[in-house]
Amino acid sequence: MKKKAILSVSFGTKDAELEKRTLDVLEREYKAVVPKADVYRAITNEALIKIKHELEGDDAPVYAVRESLARMVLDGVTHVYVQPAYLLHGREYEELVNMIFSHKADFVSVKCGEPLLASQEDLEAVSNAIMSDYKLSDDEAVCFVGHGSEHYTNAIYCALDYALKDQGYDNAHIATFNAYPKIDKVIDHLLKKKTKKAFVSPFMFVAGESALEGVSGDGADSIATKLREAGFTVEAKRVCLAENEKIRDIFKKHLAVIAE
């Protein structure tokens, strides 16, 4: 007898309220995509799993990927649909795929969905999704800030920047903390366009307080501070990607593809 299950994988968050607005909502929507499937959650941040269990006790429903797969075996699951809430085909995605398929013999079928930025169609959809709350004048701009990666797939951030422009969002820019494009390159563009006001927002599935401070805090190294020092008026939008229904729709679309 076929028994289906969805494994929702993310880095996780220790912010309970943020979790309710993001992971909890997304997983309810996953259930609507595959109504007959049970939904399991796994997070890849081992330190966070430990914190969760310390805060909520040993019965806290927080597990690493291998533990969640083992629970599925015990529950008699036969068909597994893994949907990671990752942004790109980076190192974490590669490690997840390798781990998932190392357990392939435990199930009749195991499939893994794509991350957010997996195709040109995704780039265009993400561009429209993140710009849906902005109506910028000619002297305004918005900068979306991601973590960045040393992995070669970091180039997708540049592709997204191009896609934004191709979709007509000339005043929208992508920057990263740890890779290219850096905020100094964005500042160069803003100065050339005589921008007066810059909005800044995290380009992260979920953004904890430390990440938000790095994007929009008052610290000397924050993106917002660097923009202010360059002469721009700055307004922070402290909203992460998982709070955007149109972004969640893309993850749901990727789940639907593997659940067909």
Side-chain angles (χ1 to χ4, degrees):
M1 181 178 177
K2 180 184 289 190
K3 185 174 182 180
K4 301 177 181 178
I6 299 163
L7 180 59
S8 170
V9 180
S10 71
F11 191 72
T13 176
K14 64 181 179 181
D15 185 329
E17 290 304 314
L18 179 60
E19 187 175 70
K20 289 177 184 177
R21 302 196 306 269
T22 56
L23 286 172
D24 289 359
V25 174
L26 181 61
E27 288 166 6
R28 286 197 298 271
E29 293 174 345
Y30 282 167
K31 177 69 175 177
V33 174
V34 194
K36 294 183 179 180
D38 293 325
V39 180
Y40 294 71
R41 177 182 296 181
I43 61 176
T44 54
N45 183 342
E46 293 183 3
L48 180 57
I49 293 174
K50 183 177 179 180
I51 291 171
K52 285 278 194 179
H53 282 286
E54 288 174 351
L55 292 174
E56 302 176 30
D58 291 337
D59 292 331
V62 181
Y63 305 98
V65 174
R66 290 192 190 279
E67 291 175 316
S68 292
L69 291 171
R71 288 171 62 84
M72 288 183 183
V73 172
L74 292 174
D75 292 343
V77 171
T78 59
H79 291 67
V80 181
Y81 309 120
V82 181
Q83 183 54 57
Y86 293 165
L87 303 190
L88 61 159
H89 286 106
R91 177 179 55 81
E92 292 86 355
Y93 184 85
E94 292 175 346
E95 290 175 351
L96 175 65
V97 170
N98 289 336
M99 184 186 301
I100 293 298
F101 286 103
S102 71
H103 290 266
K104 189 174 182 179
D106 295 330
F107 305 97
V108 174
S109 174
V110 179
K111 297 180 180 179
C112 190
E114 300 280 14
L116 182 68
L117 300 170
S119 67
Q120 182 62 35
E121 181 182 352
D122 290 338
L123 290 170
E124 293 171 2
V126 169
S127 297
N128 290 322
I130 62 178
M131 288 304 295
S132 59
D133 292 331
Y134 293 93
K135 294 190 181 299
L136 303 173
S137 61
D138 290 342
D139 62 356
E140 293 179 331
V142 57
C143 179
F144 298 98
V145 184
H147 286 293
S149 170
E150 294 180 355
H151 195 275
Y152 68 88
T153 51
N154 184 81
I156 201 71
Y157 287 109
C158 300
L160 178 60
D161 194 83
Y162 271 103
L164 282 161
K165 274 68 173 179
D166 286 344
Q167 296 294 102
Y169 306 117
D170 293 336
N171 292 0
H173 305 273
I174 301 295
T176 69
F177 288 133
N178 303 316
Y180 187 85
K182 290 280 195 178
I183 187 59
D184 58 335
K185 298 299 181 183
V186 174
I187 288 173
D188 288 344
H189 287 295
L190 300 185
L191 290 172
K192 288 176 183 177
K193 296 196 70 175
K194 302 187 185 305
T195 302
K196 294 181 180 178
K197 181 175 182 178
F199 296 88
V200 63
S201 184
F203 188 79
M204 305 168 192
F205 178 72
V206 291
E209 193 58 34
S210 61
L212 288 174
E213 284 298 302
V215 173
S216 56
D218 296 326
D221 293 328
S222 81
I223 300 298
T225 295
K226 292 177 180 179
L227 287 166
R228 290 190 184 97
E229 289 175 346
F232 307 109
T233 299
V234 177
E235 182 175 333
K237 297 281 191 178
R238 294 165 70 92
V239 179
C240 61
L241 294 175
E243 295 177 86
N244 186 319
E245 181 181 2
K246 294 178 180 179
I247 292 293
R248 297 197 305 273
D249 284 344
I250 299 170
F251 284 114
K252 287 152 54 183
K253 179 195 73 174
H254 290 171
L255 172 62
V257 168
I258 62 172
E260 289 178 345

